[in-house]
Structure formats: C-alpha cells, structure tokens
C-alpha cells in the first residue's frame, strides 16, 4: 500500500500545583515538539519516522530538555496465497544512546478462516518525558535518571479464526 503522511505538532502547558494544607505551590511549564511521518512504497515496503524534542521547567528544576528520534523500515512479502512474511528494522537514537531493533513475523493461512501467526523482535522503551521530568501532583517526584528498558526477545505465537460473511 503506497502513501505518504507527515505531521508536526507543538504544545505548551503551564500548570500550578497547590497544596492548601501545607501552604505550598509549584509552577510547571512543559513544551514539546513532535514530528512523525510515513512513506509507503510499492512491493510492500514502508519507512516511518518520529522525532521528539521536549523541555520542562519548574521550581525544583531550572530547565531540562530531552530529544529522541527513530526511523523504521518494514517489508511485507506474500508467498502464494497462504504465507506472508513480515520483516522490520528500527534505529532509535536518544540522548541515552543508540539501538538497532530487528523484528520478523509470519502469517500462515491453513484452512478457510483459520490462520497462524508468529513474531519475534527486540525492543527498547525509552522513558517518556513525563517519566523523567513531570510532576503529576505534589509529593510525586520525577526521575530524571531513568534509563531505557531493553527487551532481548519479545515473541508471540497464535492462532485465529475469522468468520467471513459477504
């Protein structure tokens, strides 16, 4: 499926947290710039990307910024009517480092309405901007020292049945 999509979004939020019991308040300003996109090509190949820049400032933190980016290439290949192979590779880049994340999958149709699927991949979850810097309320501290979570093997095997009526 061919096609192209691109987006650019900017947001800013100013919040004031108040605790009347303690007579304490804190001001928070957070802004974020996000760009995403996808380009589909013929023969089942597509490229997608995402980039994020964010900044927070509050009473206990003068200013903190963070950026992340990633690009993913994926391909779908049909082998006859019954087998579909899926492959992808993703490159993540962030202040914490770089990761290359492969993924493979297979879908097999073996009877009318029945299919098996399998998938294996590696993953990395970067701490979100909120995990690192934002305070959802008084008494809850962000953790600016969080590091990425790594998943060495994420796999799945399943069977599905679909009742197709026309």
């Amino acid at each position: 499926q061919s096609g192209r999509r691109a987006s650019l979004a900017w947001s800013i939020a100013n919040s004031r947290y108040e605790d009347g019991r303690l007579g304490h308040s804190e001001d928070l300003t957070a802004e974020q710039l996000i760009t995403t996109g996808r380009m589909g090509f013929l023969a089942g190949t597509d490229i997608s990307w995402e980039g994020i820049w964010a900044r927070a400032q509050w009473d206990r933190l003068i200013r903190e910024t963070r950026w992340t980016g990633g690009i993913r290439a994926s391909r779908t290949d049909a082998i006859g009517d019954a087998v579909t192979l899926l492959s992808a590779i993703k490159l993540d880049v962030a202040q914490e480092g770089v990761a290359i994340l492969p993924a493979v999958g297979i879908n097999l149709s073996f009877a009318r309405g029945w299919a098996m699927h399998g998938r294996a991949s590696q993953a990395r979850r970067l701490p979100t901007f909120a995990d690192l810097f934002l305070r959802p309320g008084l008494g809850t501290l962000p953790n600016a020292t969080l590091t990425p979570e790594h998943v060495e093997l994420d796999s799945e095997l399943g069977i599905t049945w679909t009742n197709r009526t026309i």
Side-chain angles (χ1 to χ4, degrees), residues 14-159:
N14 295 307
S15 303
R16 181 174 186 85
Y17 299 105
E18 294 189 31
D19 187 340
R21 297 170 299 166
L22 301 175
H24 179 76
S25 65
E26 291 186 7
D27 291 317
L28 167 68
T29 300
E31 60 185 310
Q32 189 166 253
L33 179 68
I34 300 172
T35 181
T36 62
R38 178 187 175 279
M39 295 186 339
F41 298 96
L42 298 176
T45 302
D46 72 335
I47 305 285
S48 59
W49 71 87
E50 177 181 73
I52 300 172
W53 172 88
R55 178 173 60 192
Q57 182 174 341
W58 72 84
D59 294 344
R60 294 189 197 185
L61 178 71
I62 295 172
R63 178 177 286 176
E64 187 68 50
T65 60
R66 181 167 192 273
W67 58 266
T68 63
I71 188 165
R72 180 179 190 267
S74 62
R75 181 171 174 83
T76 304
D77 292 297
I79 300 174
D81 293 334
V83 179
T84 304
L85 298 176
L86 310 160
S87 57
I89 190 150
K90 184 175 182 191
L91 172 67
D92 275 343
V93 180
Q95 289 169 266
E96 298 87 357
V98 175
I100 297 174
L101 310 166
V104 294
I106 187 169
N107 290 329
L108 172 64
S109 299
F110 60 89
R112 186 173 187 194
W114 289 92
M116 285 184 67
H117 62 274
R119 178 189 56 78
S121 64
Q122 291 183 333
R124 180 173 93 150
R125 180 193 174 273
L126 293 171
T128 67
F129 186 66
D131 292 338
L132 295 168
F133 306 122
L134 300 185
R135 296 176 61 92
L138 289 173
T140 304
L141 296 176
N143 185 351
T145 62
L146 283 177
T147 59
E149 299 171 6
H150 293 275
V151 178
E152 293 297 323
L153 177 62
D154 180 17
S155 61
E156 174 184 13
L157 183 61
I159 189 167

Side-chain angles (χ1 to χ4, degrees), residues 30 43 99 160:
T160 57

